Amino acid sequence: MSVPVADKNYHCELLSPEGRVWAGEVTSAVLPATDGQLAVLVNRLPLVSALGAGALRLTLPGSAEAIYYVTGGVARMEANHLTVLAQECIPVEQLDAHDVWEELAEANALPRGTEVQAASRDDQLAAMRVKFKLAQAHGGGKGKSSR
């Protein structure tokens, strides 16, 4: 017996410190959790997960896909409602490779004198590398094909 289309979707909301980035129905989401990729489908058991830096891929009804760069924060799935609260949440088509390259250079210049400084710098560099790859692959703007 097939599941009705409405039963294959669930509500998803993307939030950042600036406010709501996006909200709507999805058929699935793949999140960059701190310990690897996490797929979320309808009727999933309740879940809370810390987010790392990477691509948040949403499959929308009708098989369209929306991709966001996210870093930091948490994702919570309960009662077929996924809430993603991220420090950064940017549609990948809004990323500019040139601008992200500059952010990468700034992260590279951070001090690394203490263990804490070195760990923070390494975390920021890893996040900027992921962001740069997404900007190159999907971003818009002047720097898309550069580097």
Side-chain angles (χ1 to χ4, degrees):
M1 183 170 145
S2 67
V3 177
V5 172
D7 293 342
K8 294 181 182 180
N9 300 332
Y10 60 91
H11 188 75
C12 178
E13 186 172 23
L14 307 180
L15 304 168
S16 75
E18 290 79 32
R20 180 183 286 167
V21 176
W22 183 87
E25 295 295 306
V26 299
T27 57
S28 70
V30 179
L31 309 167
T34 55
D35 56 353
Q37 297 292 304
L38 175 65
V40 180
L41 300 172
V42 71
N43 297 325
R44 189 187 193 304
L45 291 174
L47 160 84
V48 174
S49 179
L51 295 174
L56 166 62
R57 297 179 183 278
L58 302 175
T59 303
L60 308 174
S63 299
E65 185 176 57
I67 306 171
Y68 293 82
Y69 168 75
V70 297
T71 187
V74 296
R76 177 177 177 243
M77 176 69 162
E78 187 172 18
N80 283 327
H81 187 105
L82 175 65
T83 302
V84 176
L85 176 57
Q87 187 62 36
E88 263 190 293
C89 185
I90 305 167
V92 293
E93 58 273 1
Q94 291 181 12
L95 296 175
D96 181 275
H98 178 75
D99 293 342
V100 177
W101 183 260
E102 290 176 2
E103 290 179 53
L104 184 58
E106 289 172 16
N108 199 38
L110 290 172
R112 54 181 171 238
T114 67
E115 279 187 43
V116 172
Q117 287 175 326
S120 176
R121 177 183 176 270
D122 290 347
D123 288 347
Q124 288 187 43
L125 280 171
M128 288 302 103
R129 286 184 188 115
V130 169
K131 190 176 184 180
F132 183 67
K133 286 181 184 179
L134 287 170
Q136 285 184 307
H138 303 282
K142 60 187 176 281
K144 183 174 181 184
S145 61
S146 65
R147 311 235 198 288

